[in-house]
Amino acid sequence: MPPPADIVKVAIEWPGAFPKLMEIDQVSASVCVWSLANHDQFALQHADSSNFYITEKNRNEIKNGAILRLTTSPAQNAQQLHERIQSSSMDAKLEALKDLANYSRDVTFAQEFINLDGISLLTQMVESGTERYQKLQKIMKPCFGDMLSFTLTAFVELMDHGIVSWDTFSVAFIKKIASYVNKFASDISILQRSLAILESMVLNSHDLYQKVAQEITIGQLIPHLQGTDQEIQTYTIAVINALFLKAPDDKRQVSCWEMANILAQKQLRSIILTHVIRAQRAINNEMAHQLYVLQVLTFNLLEDRMMTKMDPQDQAQRDIIFELRRIAFDAESEPNNSSGSIEKRKSMYTRDYKKLGFINHVNPAMDFTQTPPGMLALDNMLYFAKHHQDAYIRIVLENSSREDKHECPFGRSSIELTKMLCEILKVGELPSETCNDFHPMFFTHDRSFEEFFCICIQLLNKTWKEMRATSEDFNKVMQVVKEQIMRALTTKPSSLDQFKSKLQNLSYTEILKIRQSERMNQEDFQSRPILELKEKIQPEILELIKQQRLNRLVEGTCFRKLNSRRRQDKFWYCRLSPNHKVLHYGDLEESPQGEVPHDSLQDKLPVADIKAVVTGKDCPHMKEKGALKQNKEVLELAFSILYDSSGQLNFIAPDKHEYCVWTDGLNALLGKDMLSDLTRNDLDTLLSMEIKLRLLDLENIQIPDAPPPIPKEPSNYDFVYDCN
């Protein structure tokens, strides 16, 4: 008879004795110490690197083979550390702060320490500690640095549990943390934690935003970007992003334009390009995410212009259109007020506006009343006309000399292209919590969006000519241009020149070849014999895909834990056992470089206990997290394993590919169909390859749509040889 499900075999350590193997009941694990004297001063604790206490909430997570430690209770431990960190002995104080930094990761201990007003004690130590030990700094600088580092680490860990509001901190504390960004630039641990605290303050409190913004400037942060430590660079960009993202609504536009000026004046973009993107080292996932966020926030500066309609009565805005006309047709004679009538000038302007490709020839301002792209389209046109004047004049004059139906309307094209580029770059949308998709080329120019437009408008004109398009083909041309841009962007060009070069290789002829190849592959496989062959071999291919998914689950994946702010040290790993019976998972201190062994993952979940796999908004952690719930991209990467009556294992995949692999693999384990987009793509690809291989011997042979007819029976069977 199998043992009860609540009984687990564990090893328990306690001071002065050898570890003892024993069976305990999960239901009473937290009270099994009651047989000791003063039992309320003791508790069980995981003996691994986490040192987490066993409580009523997590006792069901105790697994067979776990190693537990009998130790002082969280309340007792918190009380002792609260007293020890106030010791007059520097050595004792340092050791106590080191222990506090370690224990503070456990929410049970954190709650007890916070109940003792421990956060206030730490903030007081930070506010007054520098002055109190200033005299000792010269002779005990290493000790002082370590002490401050452990204090800030403990503070970060305690606040990360979300028990205490960030709104409770004083201006003096903020000033002190901000000062550390400058004073302790050489001490990596202090600087890193100070930046992390500033980021959290901005992200979690509207009231603290303005206070932090007054204490820290971009000029103070730039030197940290010029260093060689990527973690410091990552936290620095994270603070910049937080200040950028959390500007109050009533100051959002002012702050955005101030930030735009700062980006230009302080050469922040070029420093990031030189010291981060083009540094001689790989960019890790967290840095890639922060660069992506900065890219999105920078493009979101364009949202105001994108959503601003042109006022046909605004003379300053009308002057921009006049300037476009002047640059294009400056060589032509300009009638003066005395020699030409008003009607004649109006007629000439109407003719020129038609040549410029506006839909409304009489009043072009009406073309810019649609949002998006609003005034942003006109800004792009003026930038192109002023900074790429030769190309602008050539495009306008080329098209004005063509027949009416074959001219590429520059005005209409610019408006639609601007709208398309805003959609491609998702201007106005908030950055995703998990995306790492930044484009290095957008960090190579202070006016990267405008330069991007200039390259694409020339591409559009070139494609128009290659397609020999007419006005009726406008939408077709825009579809081709979008495909050219998207295909070039997927190659992640490192500069705008490289992007331009990629587009040169993606001519209309090349796009036609790609489309034709894709279409031929589809058409070739639609005949009846091929469809029957597909149906026959599809189960084999699906089994192959299933095995690949399960093999990937056996290798495992590192997942990130998302909370109120992204933390580099919050990772966990999950993998399937080689026999496909158990899921092993556990927390990690840092992102692993390869596979994580099963024995280092402390938690297990039998596959037989899994009841269901849910995705998206049906996941428990998406219902709980209001901020993440609103983010479409996070919803698309979320899935959960439901087990037992209320047990759950929540995931947020690092990307769409891993999401598909894991949901497919888990469904395969449960005997369900694999329904992801990745499975459909893999199935199509593998079926296509397999059929091509099988049809190699039939090259240049026409396969009939119907099977050949069965021949008539012979008149006799004399040709049959009887072996008997």
Side-chain angles (χ1 to χ4, degrees):
M1 181 177 178
D6 294 332
I7 302 299
V8 290
K9 294 181 178 180
V10 299
I12 296 183
E13 301 175 343
W14 58 87
F18 290 106
K20 184 176 181 181
L21 183 64
M22 58 189 302
E23 293 184 352
I24 64 172
D25 188 344
Q26 287 178 322
V27 176
S28 59
S30 59
V31 295
C32 69
V33 295
W34 286 3
S35 58
L36 297 172
N38 302 322
H39 57 79
D40 57 333
Q41 298 181 12
F42 294 92
L44 288 175
Q45 182 186 55
H46 285 285
D48 55 20
S49 58
S50 70
N51 292 325
F52 289 170
Y53 282 100
I54 304 299
T55 65
E56 297 288 331
K57 293 182 179 180
N58 65 16
R59 64 190 181 190
N60 290 330
E61 298 176 7
I62 302 174
K63 305 299 180 182
N64 280 311
I67 301 177
L68 307 180
R69 180 187 302 120
L70 186 64
T71 185
T72 53
S73 68
Q76 184 80 1
N77 196 10
Q79 182 65 47
Q80 291 174 359
L81 281 173
H82 191 272
E83 296 170 359
R84 287 170 57 201
I85 62 175
Q86 301 179 73
S87 170
S88 57
S89 167
M90 294 292 286
D91 290 337
K93 192 183 191 78
L94 177 63
E95 193 64 30
L97 287 169
K98 183 177 180 181
D99 290 341
L100 179 62
N102 182 42
Y103 281 112
S104 294
R105 293 179 300 167
D106 182 11
V107 66
T108 308
F109 170 85
Q111 184 68 69
E112 296 292 344
F113 188 78
I114 290 170
N115 290 342
L116 296 172
D117 211 14
I119 292 288
S120 297
L121 177 59
L122 291 179
T123 55
Q124 290 170 14
M125 291 173 62
V126 170
E127 290 174 15
S128 62
T130 306
E131 287 75 15
R132 183 181 298 177
Y133 299 111
Q134 205 165 24
K135 296 179 181 179
L136 299 173
Q137 241 185 303
K138 294 182 181 179
I139 57 174
M140 301 186 68
K141 190 172 181 180
C143 178
F144 176 80
D146 290 342
M147 188 179 298
L148 182 57
S149 174
F150 289 134
T151 303
L152 295 179
T153 300
F155 177 83
V156 169
E157 295 292 350
L158 290 169
M159 291 302 299
D160 209 32
H161 296 297
I163 300 171
V164 178
S165 170
W166 284 92
D167 293 313
T168 58
F169 299 107
S170 66
V171 174
F173 179 72
I174 297 171
K175 286 179 178 289
K176 189 64 64 177
I177 296 297
S179 71
Y180 294 156
V181 173
N182 300 319
K183 289 183 179 179
F184 295 96
S186 59
D187 192 316
I188 300 299
S189 60
I190 294 176
L191 177 58
Q192 184 186 90
R193 286 152 182 80
S194 298
L195 290 169
I197 292 170
L198 291 176
E199 181 198 1
S200 291
M201 285 179 173
V202 174
L203 291 178
N204 292 287
S205 172
H206 293 294
D207 294 337
L208 292 184
Y209 164 82
Q210 197 62 43
K211 296 174 183 177
V212 173
Q214 291 172 355
E215 296 299 327
I216 201 77
T217 66
I218 300 296
Q220 292 171 304
L221 295 173
I222 280 179
H224 304 313
L225 292 173
Q226 295 173 310
T228 57
D229 189 288
Q230 190 170 116
E231 286 194 10
I232 295 300
Q233 292 175 326
T234 302
Y235 275 100
T236 302
I237 297 178
V239 173
I240 295 171
N241 287 338
L243 290 168
F244 210 169
L245 183 63
K246 292 297 180 178
D249 292 337
D250 58 335
K251 301 179 181 179
R252 177 68 51 87
Q253 290 305 325
V254 175
S255 299
C256 285
W257 289 113
E258 286 178 355
M259 183 63 73
N261 292 331
I262 288 170
L263 291 175
Q265 294 170 5
K266 300 294 184 180
Q267 298 181 327
L268 179 62
R269 176 199 55 77
S270 60
I271 289 172
I272 291 175
L273 180 67
T274 303
H275 296 279
V276 178
I277 297 175
R278 293 181 176 173
Q280 299 300 315
R281 61 175 180 270
I283 294 177
N284 61 35
N285 289 336
E286 181 66 19
M287 174 60 84
H289 172 77
Q290 295 300 341
L291 291 172
Y292 153 78
V293 172
L294 182 60
Q295 172 185 292
V296 171
L297 296 177
T298 303
F299 284 139
N300 282 355
L301 293 172
L302 305 169
E303 183 182 9
D304 182 50
R305 295 294 282 173
M306 181 182 76
M307 301 307 295
T308 300
K309 294 181 179 181
M310 184 172 184
D311 181 1
Q313 306 305 318
D314 189 319
Q315 188 58 43
Q317 295 179 359
R318 292 170 62 87
D319 287 344
I320 299 176
I321 298 177
F322 292 148
E323 182 68 6
L324 289 173
R325 179 195 166 279
R326 186 195 66 77
I327 295 173
F329 305 113
D330 186 53
E332 298 187 10
S333 58
E334 185 77 28
N336 55 47
N337 292 332
S338 60
S339 62
S341 66
I342 294 176
E343 291 300 323
K344 186 175 181 180
R345 289 201 304 274
K346 283 185 177 180
S347 176
M348 185 184 66
Y349 287 162
T350 300
R351 182 198 66 195
D352 290 346
Y353 291 147
K354 183 178 180 182
K355 290 180 180 179
L356 281 170
F358 291 112
I359 297 175
N360 193 318
H361 307 152
V362 177
N363 186 6
M366 300 303 295
D367 288 12
F368 299 96
T369 55
Q370 180 188 1
T371 57
M375 287 295 293
L376 183 59
L378 188 57
D379 295 342
N380 284 339
M381 293 167 70
L382 183 63
Y383 181 91
F384 181 50
K386 286 189 171 183
H387 293 83
H388 300 270
Q389 194 171 113
D390 292 342
Y392 167 70
I393 294 173
R394 175 176 54 78
I395 287 176
V396 173
L397 296 183
E398 264 185 14
N399 288 290
S400 62
S401 63
R402 294 179 189 164
E403 297 179 23
D404 284 349
K405 66 176 183 178
H406 284 288
E407 64 180 8
C408 177
F410 174 74
R412 182 185 176 192
S413 299
S414 298
I415 293 169
E416 291 300 321
L417 179 63
T418 300
K419 183 178 179 181
M420 179 199 296
L421 297 183
C422 289
E423 290 173 356
I424 291 174
L425 298 177
K426 300 181 180 179
V427 175
E429 295 186 18
L430 288 175
S432 163
E433 291 280 350
T434 57
C435 185
N436 302 332
D437 187 24
F438 80 98
H439 293 275
M441 73 177 190
F442 291 128
F443 290 85
T444 62
H445 201 283
D446 289 328
R447 304 289 294 274
S448 59
F449 184 82
E450 290 86 346
E451 288 293 324
F452 187 43
F453 168 84
C454 293
I455 293 172
C456 293
I457 192 65
Q458 295 178 72
L459 168 71
L460 193 154
N461 188 66
K462 172 174 169 286
T463 301
W464 185 283
K465 289 189 292 185
E466 291 174 348
M467 293 178 67
R468 299 180 182 178
T470 63
S471 55
E472 289 81 9
D473 300 320
F474 186 85
N475 290 333
K476 293 180 182 177
V477 175
M478 295 304 295
Q479 289 173 5
V480 172
V481 169
K482 184 173 183 179
E483 185 174 348
Q484 290 171 314
I485 294 171
M486 294 299 291
R487 288 185 183 274
L489 284 177
T490 55
T491 64
K492 291 292 181 70
S494 59
S495 67
L496 289 166
D497 287 337
Q498 196 176 96
F499 173 70
K500 192 172 182 179
S501 177
K502 297 285 185 185
L503 291 176
Q504 292 292 334
N505 297 328
L506 283 171
S507 64
Y508 176 59
T509 304
E510 185 63 27
I511 293 294
L512 278 182
K513 289 180 180 177
I514 294 171
R515 287 181 173 181
Q516 186 177 8
S517 175
E518 293 173 351
R519 187 168 56 250
M520 285 180 64
N521 286 338
Q522 292 176 353
E523 290 175 355
D524 288 346
F525 299 142
Q526 297 307 311
S527 63
R528 182 179 168 189
I530 300 300
L531 291 175
E532 290 179 356
L533 180 59
K534 269 187 176 182
E535 189 176 343
K536 182 179 179 180
I537 64 177
Q538 183 167 315
E540 301 175 20
I541 302 298
L542 283 172
E543 183 62 27
L544 186 64
I545 295 172
K546 175 183 174 181
Q547 291 304 320
Q548 188 272 340
R549 299 291 191 267
L550 294 176
N551 288 340
R552 279 289 291 107
L553 264 61
V554 170
E555 292 175 11
T557 300
C558 179
F559 297 92
R560 187 184 300 276
K561 288 187 174 181
L562 292 183
N563 48 24
S564 57
R565 64 183 180 86
R566 292 169 61 95
R567 291 281 304 278
Q568 278 189 290
D569 54 350
K570 297 294 182 181
F571 296 98
W572 69 289
Y573 199 89
C574 186
R575 63 180 299 180
L576 181 65
S577 62
N579 63 3
H580 302 173
K581 299 292 185 183
V582 178
L583 282 173
H584 298 263
Y585 62 96
D587 293 340
L588 299 176
E589 293 297 325
E590 58 184 3
S591 181
Q593 298 301 316
E595 291 184 18
V596 176
H598 294 97
D599 51 10
S600 65
L601 302 174
Q602 61 271 27
D603 298 313
K604 300 177 183 179
L605 172 61
V607 172
D609 291 349
I610 298 177
K611 304 300 182 185
V613 176
V614 294
T615 61
K617 62 183 180 181
D618 295 326
C619 296
H621 58 316
M622 290 295 101
K623 295 176 181 177
E624 294 168 2
K625 292 183 177 290
L628 296 180
K629 187 179 177 183
Q630 305 303 321
N631 194 312
K632 181 180 177 183
E633 292 192 40
V634 173
L635 279 174
E636 291 176 348
L637 298 176
F639 62 99
S640 298
I641 295 175
L642 306 182
Y643 60 93
D644 295 337
S645 57
S646 60
Q648 60 194 40
L649 194 58
N650 299 319
F651 299 76
I652 295 179
D655 52 50
K656 190 66 176 177
H657 181 270
E658 288 296 321
Y659 169 84
C660 292
V661 166
W662 273 85
T663 53
D664 283 343
L666 292 171
N667 281 325
L669 285 173
L670 299 178
K672 298 181 179 180
D673 292 336
M674 299 179 293
L675 303 174
S676 72
D677 294 337
L678 183 62
T679 292
R680 285 195 293 271
N681 293 336
D682 287 350
L683 181 61
D684 290 342
T685 301
L686 293 173
L687 273 176
S688 174
M689 292 174 60
E690 181 66 21
I691 288 175
K692 285 179 180 179
L693 287 172
R694 295 194 181 198
L695 297 181
L696 280 177
D697 293 337
L698 299 179
E699 191 172 358
N700 298 324
I701 296 177
Q702 183 67 34
I703 301 176
D705 292 334
I710 299 174
K712 295 180 180 180
E713 290 191 19
S715 57
N716 61 69
Y717 293 89
D718 294 343
F719 56 86
V720 177
Y721 179 76
D722 188 357
C723 296
N724 298 325

